[in-house]
Amino acid sequence: MRSHEHKSSHGSIKSYVVGYLLSLAFTLVPYYMVRSGGMTGQKLLITVLAFAFIQMFIQIFFFLHLGRGPKPFYNVIFFTATFGMILVVVFGSIFIMDNLYRNMSPAEVTTKIGEKEGIAEIAGKKTGGCQGLGVNHKAVIKDELVTPDHIHAVLCDTLTITNLDSINREITFGEHENHEAYGGVYEISLAAGRSKTITLNTAGQYKFHDHVDPTVGAFFTVEK
């Protein structure tokens, strides 16, 4: 009886092979998603976290044999503790990295904070924020085209991008695969039928485009 319990608490060669293949798949798929750049922002983060949790269940079931041993109560405690620790580590790490990013204040973040708070100058140094806003310029995405395709503005004007297509858009700045921030903004998620307004607080010539479909984009020139 005891030998039977001992045997049932361990997996077969088949279960180990299946577990290994599943683990490999749930590791390579998110790696490819990150490398390919087909998905970005919060969607990518949520997807990778989902794969990580599924990976955890695979490890517990196929290799740690949760519920197969003679003491399932201890297995439940182990599973609960492991799940809790993973939540603390993952979400704690995300919180810490986000907090460090905001508090170390690179130039783009300083500009974004100054713009959000309406702070144009600190101790005699300009933050890039605008004290007053000028003309609002509009760019409309419809039928995979942006109208107009080139916008002329001056500092402290605003630009409203509206997505009238039926699919979501991930608006980024710069050339495709070499994205850059504009005024502290790296990416704009535009659901179908939604708009987003940014302040044109940096002079120069720039480009925005849909990260998923780089052919959808336009230029905008900001003069002093």
Side-chain angles (χ1 to χ4, degrees):
M1 181 68 177
R2 184 174 300 175
S3 62
H4 175 71
E5 290 179 349
H6 178 75
K7 183 178 180 180
S8 65
S9 65
H10 292 75
S12 63
I13 295 178
K14 180 181 178 180
S15 68
Y16 285 127
V17 172
V18 172
Y20 172 75
L21 293 177
L22 287 175
S23 297
L24 194 62
F26 279 89
T27 300
L28 293 178
V29 171
Y31 173 78
Y32 173 77
M33 293 173 64
V34 174
R35 289 283 297 175
S36 65
M39 184 182 296
T40 58
Q42 292 184 350
K43 291 181 180 179
L44 178 62
L45 176 61
I46 293 173
T47 302
V48 171
L49 288 177
F51 273 93
F53 283 118
I54 296 174
Q55 178 79 266
M56 181 189 69
F57 283 110
I58 292 173
Q59 298 291 329
I60 290 175
F61 181 79
F62 287 97
F63 299 107
L64 300 179
H65 314 294
L66 180 66
R68 296 184 184 182
K71 298 178 179 179
F73 177 73
Y74 294 110
N75 285 336
V76 172
I77 294 177
F78 169 77
F79 170 75
T80 303
T82 302
F83 186 76
M85 285 189 290
I86 290 177
L87 286 178
V88 171
V89 171
V90 172
F91 290 102
S93 298
I94 294 173
F95 173 79
I96 291 171
M97 288 187 290
D98 182 69
N99 191 57
L100 285 174
Y101 173 74
R102 294 179 183 279
N103 285 287
M104 290 183 73
S105 297
E108 294 85 359
V109 177
T110 302
T111 301
K112 187 175 182 179
I113 293 174
E115 191 64 61
K116 183 178 180 181
E117 302 296 332
I119 303 172
E121 188 175 301
I122 298 178
K125 295 183 179 180
K126 294 185 177 181
T127 64
C130 294
Q131 288 182 315
L133 300 180
V135 178
N136 177 248
H137 303 269
K138 297 181 180 181
V140 178
I141 303 173
K142 186 177 182 180
D143 298 328
E144 299 184 352
L145 293 174
V146 181
T147 306
D149 60 1
H150 200 148
I151 296 169
H152 293 271
V154 297
L155 279 175
C156 294
D157 282 355
T158 57
L159 172 62
T160 299
I161 305 174
T162 303
N163 177 25
L164 295 183
D165 283 339
S166 58
I167 60 175
N168 296 343
R169 301 287 184 184
E170 296 290 337
I171 303 300
T172 53
F173 299 92
E175 296 297 332
H176 185 57
E177 299 298 342
N178 293 310
H179 301 155
E180 57 187 24
Y182 179 80
V185 179
Y186 283 91
E187 182 180 276
I188 300 173
S189 296
L190 274 182
R194 301 300 296 271
S195 300
K196 179 71 175 181
T197 300
I198 62 172
T199 301
L200 303 177
N201 51 24
T202 306
Q205 182 170 321
Y206 302 92
K207 178 183 179 181
F208 70 85
H209 66 275
D210 181 8
H211 175 65
V212 180
D213 185 1
T215 61
V216 178
F219 292 90
F220 61 99
T221 301
V222 182
E223 299 177 353
K224 294 183 179 180

